[in-house]
Amino acid sequence: MCQRMPFSNDDLDFTYPLPADFENRPSCYICVYKGKVAIDPLNLPDHQTILHEDIKDVKTKRIVQYLGSLGEKLCYAIGLESQEEVPYGMQLVFLRDLMGQIDDRTLALAGRAVQLIDFELTSKFCGRCGIPTETLEDRGKKCPKCDLLIYPRLSPAVIVLVMQEDKVLLARSSHFSSDIYSVIAGFVEPGETLEHAAEREVMEEVGLKIKNIRYFASQPWPFPNSLMIGFIADYAGGEIRVDGEEIIDAAWFSRDELPNFPGKASISGHLVDWFVKKEEKRS
């Protein structure tokens, strides 16, 4: 059931730090400012919209993060310090607005760039004692006073498609528009396994028990720093009782009566699409 998801990039070599011969390697870069990416609107959907070749002045940039390599080419993120630094002819757009506008490989690079620039900007000082941090060779930061280690934040979250015979459980979040339904999701808490988190989230949000939890796929989700781990599970008991806060409506739906649900830019759309295709094969 494992599938390749948007924002994942198996072609990118994440090995860190930079290779010893980095100065002699071809390079490209993505410009980021306050969570937005600088694009050339005239070149959509070409990858050159955001990916630019040959960093001539990388040593003069104050905020630079190495993203990884694509073959021989080294990829960097440049953190802009003001809107005035946006390259001529380009404009800033939110990462979400690039979904469906550029190829998946470049979108994954942009997602990684936004997250690593955010880490650089939010880890300048120690969260324990306030002292300026030092950069380590493995991308982490260290406080020279109290030895606190800091690494890019990653928040694991489970997302669960629950089935009861030929129906699927879909719910409407208070954060969604009025006609969008999706599967149950939530963050993993300290001390939990992923399976335990899936059981807890379904019980908390809709009051149902689940069983036969099995892995579907995972997806990096840079809004702002999540890793979505998708599961499929079977209904094991209970009546739907929404919490009224996070979830304001939930119901069982057959393939022929599905409401509007997220597209396949997110793993939730892939889960529902898997259910539809599974039921189609039965008929």
Side-chain angles (χ1 to χ4, degrees):
M1 288 185 286
C2 184
Q3 304 179 38
R4 182 166 177 169
M5 297 289 155
F7 291 108
S8 62
N9 193 338
D10 297 337
D11 298 327
L12 184 68
D13 182 356
F14 289 175
T15 304
Y16 193 83
L18 279 163
D21 63 343
F22 74 94
E23 292 184 332
N24 300 318
R25 299 267 291 271
S27 58
C28 58
Y29 67 97
I30 294 174
C31 294
V32 176
Y33 178 68
K34 290 189 175 180
K36 295 181 179 181
V37 178
I39 72 161
D40 177 358
L42 299 180
N43 280 333
L44 283 173
D46 191 278
H47 73 278
Q48 294 294 340
T49 298
I50 68 169
L51 203 59
H52 308 282
E53 309 292 333
D54 299 323
I55 306 176
K56 303 297 185 183
D57 57 348
V58 64
K59 292 183 178 180
T60 69
K61 303 295 185 182
R62 197 170 69 88
I63 307 173
V64 180
Q65 285 285 300
Y66 173 56
L67 301 178
S69 62
L70 287 170
E72 282 296 304
K73 185 173 294 184
L74 305 181
C75 305
Y76 301 85
I78 306 296
L80 306 180
E81 299 185 74
S82 69
Q83 284 190 288
E84 286 68 36
E85 294 185 20
V86 175
Y88 178 77
M90 302 187 74
Q91 65 184 43
L92 294 170
V93 299
F94 285 108
L95 190 58
R96 285 184 183 273
D97 294 332
L98 289 174
M99 294 163 64
Q101 297 296 309
I102 56 178
D103 66 90
D104 287 345
R105 188 173 74 165
T106 310
L107 181 66
L109 273 174
R112 184 166 168 82
V114 167
Q115 291 179 87
L116 290 180
I117 292 298
D118 180 71
F119 169 68
E120 179 67 23
L121 293 175
T122 57
S123 61
K124 292 181 178 180
F125 299 93
C126 174
R128 180 185 289 161
C129 66
I131 297 297
T133 56
E134 299 174 345
T135 300
L136 304 177
E137 290 188 354
D138 61 353
R139 199 181 289 285
K141 299 291 186 72
K142 182 179 180 179
C143 175
K145 181 178 180 180
C146 70
D147 293 330
L148 179 70
L149 294 176
I150 311 168
Y151 288 91
R153 179 181 175 185
L154 190 63
S155 302
V158 292
I159 182 163
V160 193
L161 181 138
V162 182
M163 296 185 297
Q164 183 183 24
E165 296 177 351
D166 60 346
K167 293 190 175 183
V168 65
L169 176 72
L170 296 178
R172 183 159 71 87
S173 168
S174 58
H175 307 299
F176 290 171
S177 60
S178 60
D179 63 343
I180 298 292
Y181 283 70
S182 187
V183 296
I184 302 297
F187 289 104
V188 181
E189 295 187 358
E192 282 189 318
T193 64
L194 298 176
E195 293 82 2
H196 185 185
E199 292 174 340
R200 175 184 53 77
E201 284 292 338
V202 174
M203 176 57 69
E204 284 181 354
E205 296 190 354
V206 293
L208 299 180
K209 294 180 180 180
I210 58 174
K211 62 182 180 181
N212 300 333
I213 302 170
R214 56 266 195 205
Y215 177 75
F216 176 77
S218 63
Q219 179 185 31
W221 191 244
F223 303 109
N225 45 38
S226 298
L227 174 64
M228 307 298 295
I229 303 103
F231 293 96
I232 296 166
D234 296 324
Y235 167 77
E239 298 293 329
I240 294 176
R241 299 188 310 276
V242 298
D243 63 10
E245 296 180 5
E246 197 70 23
I247 300 297
I248 56 178
D249 188 34
W252 296 103
F253 295 92
S254 67
R255 176 171 58 89
D256 297 328
E257 57 180 9
L258 290 175
N260 291 330
F261 58 89
K264 293 177 72 173
S266 69
I267 192 172
S268 57
H270 281 264
L271 280 161
V272 179
D273 185 65
W274 173 87
F275 168 77
V276 171
K277 291 177 178 178
K278 170 180 175 292
E279 293 303 311
E280 285 177 343
K281 289 179 181 179
R282 286 185 177 181
S283 56

